[in-house]
Amino acid sequence: MVGLMLGMFLASLDQTIVSTAIYTVANDLDGLSLQAWATTAYLITSTVSTPLYGKLSDIFGRRPLYIAAIAIFLAGSIFAGSVHAMSELAVARGIQGLGAGGLMALALAIIGDIVPLSDRAKYQGYFMSVFGVSSVLGPVVGGAFAGADQILWITGWRWVFYVNVPVAIAALVTVFLFLHLPAHHTRQRIDYFGAAAITVGLVPLLLVAEQGRGWGWASANSIVCYAIGAVGLAAFVVIEKFAGDYALIPLRLFKSAQFSLSALLNFIIGIGMFGAIAMLPMYLQLVKGLTPTQAGLLMITFTVGIMSASITAGRTISATGTFKIFPMIGTLLLAGAATTMGFVLTVDTPLWVPAVVAVFFGMGLGCCMQPLVLAMQTSVPPKDMGVGTSTAAFFRSMGGAVGTAVFISMLFSLAADKISSAMKDAVNQADFIKTMRDPAVAADPVNKPLFDLFKGGTSGGLGTDNLNDTSWLSKANSILTHPIKDGFSQSVDAVMLTAAGLMVVAFLITLALPNVKLRDPKAALKEPAAA
C-alpha cells in the first residue's frame, strides 16, 4: 500500500508542482516563449498513455507495468532537473508524463485486484486523499523551490524535479520488494492500430486545449487540430469496434449504463475539478494579492474536504455496497460551492470565505471521485479491471484538460471587458482621480505597467495581450489597481457560475445511475460454481 500510494503521490504532485515554478524556470533557461510546451508535453503523454497502461496490464500483469511506470517517471525527473534549454525540458516532461500515465490508474487497478470490494472502497478513499493532498501541495512546494536561489548548491527550481527522485526510488524499492502479485500473461493481440488512432485523435485536441488561447480558438492552427483530432477519434471508434475483445478500450464495456454514465461523470467532474483548482488560486493571487505559496497553503482547506469525504464515502460503501447517493450528494455540493463562489467572491471578500467554500468543494469531489471509480471497476469482468480503472482516469484527465483550457480562456476573455467597465466607473471617483494625477504615483517604477495598461485601454482597447503578465498587480498602487482586481473578480465569478451550471448537469446524470449495490465481479463468478 505504501509503494502504491507513493506512486500515486508522484503522479498527482507533478500535475501541479510545475505550475508555480514554470515562469522562473523559463526565465532561467531563456525560453519564456516555449514555457507552455513543458506543460503540454506532460499533459499529452500522460493522457495518451493511460489507456495503454490499462490494457497492457490486463495482458502482461500489473507489477511489471507499474515498476516500468515508476522507472520511466524517475528517468524523466532526473533529466528534467538537469536540462539547460526549454526544448530539453519539454522532452523531459514528456518522458515524465509517459510514466505518470501508469502510476495513478495502475495503483487503483492493483487495489481492485488484491482487495475485496468490502474493503476496497475504504482503501481507495485513502488513495483519493493522497491525490487531493498532492494536488494542492504541488503549488506550495513548487513556489517554495522556485523562490529559492539555491538549495544544497543546486538552483532552487531544479528541486521541483529532483524532489521526485527519493520518492520514486522509495516507491520502486517498496513495490519491487513487497508487491507480489500472481504471475499473469494472457495471450492475445495488442491493439496497435487502436493505440495509433487514439494518439492521432488526442494529441491535436490536447495541443489546442493548451495552446488555443495563444493561437486563437478559430485560428488556422486550431482548425487543423480539430480536424485531425476528429478524424483520429472517428478512426479509433471504428478500429475498436472491429477489434472486439482485443480493443484498447473494448466498446462492449459501454453497453453497461453503470460504466458509461460513470465515465461521462468522470469527464464532467474532471472539468469542474481542475477548473476549480485553476480558478481559486488565480482569484487568490490576482485579486487578493497572495503569493503562489500563500495561495497553495490556503487551499489546504480544499484538501481537508476531499480527504474527509473520500474516507467517509469509502467506509460507507464498504459497509453497505450503496454508491449512487455519493455522486448525487457530491455533484450537489460542487454545484452549491461553485454557485456560492460565483456570488460572494469579490475584490473585498475576506480570505476566510474562499477558504470555507473550498472545504465544500473538496467534499463534493471526495464524494464523486472514488465511488465512480468503484462503479466502473465493478461493472467490468475481472479480466478488464485494468481497462476499467484506466478508463476512469482517462476520462477524468481529459475533463481536466478541457476544464483548465476553457475556464482560463473564459477568464481572460471576460476580464478585458470587465476591467474596462470597472475603470469607467472608477474615473468618476474622487480618490481614483486624485491618485491618478499624483506625480509621485506616476513616477514610481512599480506603477509603470499599470500606466501602460491604462494607455492601452484608452488608445487601442484593453485586450487579453495586455493581461498576459500580471505579476506587477500586487505591487502597484492599491487604489489604481482596485478596478483591475474588480474586473478579474467579476470574471472569476462568471466562470464559477458556468461551472455550477455544469455541475447541475452532472447531478441530473447521477439520477440515471443504476440504483444497485456494488458487487465484486470475482465473487459473482464464484457463486454459480459454488451453487
Side-chain angles (χ1 to χ4, degrees):
M1 290 296 168
V2 171
L4 296 176
M5 284 186 175
L6 286 172
M8 176 171 277
F9 180 80
L10 280 170
S12 51
L13 181 73
D14 235 61
Q15 287 178 334
T16 55
I17 192 172
V18 178
S19 60
T20 50
I22 191 64
Y23 287 109
T24 303
V25 176
N27 285 327
D28 195 48
L29 296 177
D30 295 324
L32 195 61
S33 62
L34 299 174
Q35 59 89 14
W37 291 100
T39 308
T40 305
Y42 183 89
L43 174 71
I44 288 174
T45 54
S46 61
T47 303
V48 170
S49 63
T50 295
L52 294 174
Y53 275 109
K55 186 63 177 181
L56 292 175
S57 72
D58 283 336
I59 298 173
F60 299 109
R62 315 270 186 250
R63 186 174 184 269
L65 267 296
Y66 198 65
I67 290 173
I70 298 173
I72 293 169
F73 189 87
L74 175 60
S77 297
I78 294 172
F79 182 20
S82 60
V83 299
H84 294 92
M86 208 64 197
S87 55
E88 292 178 14
L89 182 63
V91 174
R93 289 286 287 160
I95 296 171
Q96 276 188 304
L98 282 176
L103 293 176
M104 193 172 301
L106 291 182
L108 294 178
I110 291 169
I111 293 298
D113 286 334
I114 64 178
V115 178
L117 182 62
S118 57
D119 294 320
R120 193 187 312 163
K122 177 174 65 178
Y123 282 107
Q124 288 190 356
Y126 299 146
F127 275 75
M128 288 302 170
S129 298
V130 169
F131 174 81
V133 169
S134 53
S135 295
V136 174
L137 193 62
V140 180
V141 175
F145 284 143
D149 290 333
Q150 284 193 339
I151 300 174
L152 296 177
W153 306 284
I154 296 174
T155 307
W157 66 258
R158 295 186 184 274
W159 284 100
V160 168
F161 306 106
Y162 285 146
V163 73
N164 295 326
V165 175
V167 181
I169 291 174
L172 200 59
V173 171
T174 306
V175 168
F176 186 81
L177 293 178
F178 299 106
L179 181 63
H180 301 296
L181 300 173
H184 179 78
H185 189 159
T186 303
R187 289 181 62 85
Q188 63 172 267
R189 294 197 306 268
I190 297 175
D191 184 15
Y192 294 111
F193 290 110
I198 199 170
T199 302
V200 171
L202 290 180
V203 167
L205 295 180
L206 291 170
L207 196 59
V208 78
E210 282 290 300
Q211 305 287 339
R213 191 167 71 88
W215 291 348
W217 297 108
S219 66
N221 284 343
S222 297
I223 291 170
V224 169
C225 285
Y226 299 143
I228 295 174
V231 170
L233 292 180
F236 175 71
V237 172
V238 173
I239 291 168
E240 298 304 272
K241 184 175 181 180
F242 283 102
D245 281 350
Y246 300 117
L248 190 65
I249 303 177
L251 298 185
R252 59 179 164 76
L253 300 181
F254 291 92
K255 292 179 181 178
S256 164
Q258 184 171 306
F259 184 88
S260 55
L261 289 174
S262 296
L264 178 59
L265 283 167
N266 267 305
F267 178 77
I268 296 174
I269 289 164
I271 294 175
M273 174 185 177
F274 285 97
I277 289 177
M279 278 304 104
L280 196 50
M282 198 161 284
Y283 164 80
L284 294 172
Q285 292 174 60
L286 291 178
V287 179
K288 304 304 290 183
L290 301 188
T291 65
T293 304
Q294 290 170 334
L297 287 171
L298 195 126
M299 288 285 286
I300 286 174
T301 57
F302 172 87
T303 306
V304 171
I306 202 170
M307 284 180 65
S308 58
S310 291
I311 293 171
T312 302
R315 288 183 173 275
T316 306
I317 294 172
S318 291
T320 65
T322 302
F323 85 100
K324 179 177 178 177
I325 187 66
F326 289 103
M328 291 173 65
I329 293 172
T331 48
L332 282 177
L333 283 171
L334 288 170
T339 302
T340 303
M341 287 183 189
F343 282 112
V344 306
L345 293 187
T346 68
V347 67
D348 300 313
T349 301
L351 283 175
W352 65 264
V353 175
V356 170
V357 178
V359 175
F360 292 96
F361 211 104
M363 290 174 66
L365 288 172
C367 285
C368 290
M369 288 170 62
Q370 69 110 359
L372 291 173
V373 172
L374 280 171
M376 294 179 74
Q377 285 183 336
T378 54
S379 62
V380 301
K383 67 186 179 72
D384 292 320
M385 177 67 75
V387 167
T389 309
S390 66
T391 302
F394 171 70
F395 275 92
R396 188 168 59 241
S397 180
M398 284 296 296
V402 171
T404 305
V406 171
F407 285 157
I408 289 180
S409 292
M410 185 178 173
L411 173 75
F412 281 96
S413 297
L414 291 170
D417 289 336
K418 300 285 187 185
I419 291 172
S420 296
S421 177
M423 280 183 177
K424 289 176 183 175
D425 294 337
V427 294
N428 296 318
Q429 297 170 6
D431 283 351
F432 187 87
I433 296 171
K434 180 181 178 182
T435 308
M436 189 83 170
R437 292 174 178 173
D438 189 336
V441 173
D444 192 338
V446 299
N447 293 323
K448 183 181 183 302
L450 179 63
F451 281 93
D452 289 343
L453 182 68
F454 289 154
K455 290 175 185 175
T458 55
S459 58
L462 187 64
T464 55
D465 289 343
N466 304 102
L467 304 173
N468 278 337
D469 180 11
T470 55
S471 58
W472 49 268
L473 199 54
S474 60
K475 302 170 188 173
N477 184 277
S478 59
I479 295 174
L480 297 183
T481 57
H482 190 278
I484 300 173
K485 293 178 179 180
D486 186 36
F488 270 121
S489 176
Q490 291 179 47
S491 303
V492 170
D493 291 345
V495 171
M496 295 314 299
L497 290 174
T498 303
L502 197 62
M503 291 305 108
V504 170
V505 172
F507 170 74
L508 295 176
I509 294 172
T510 64
L511 299 178
L513 284 169
N515 190 17
V516 296
K517 289 191 175 183
L518 297 182
R519 299 187 67 206
D520 197 327
K522 293 180 182 178
L525 284 176
K526 293 176 183 177
E527 284 176 10

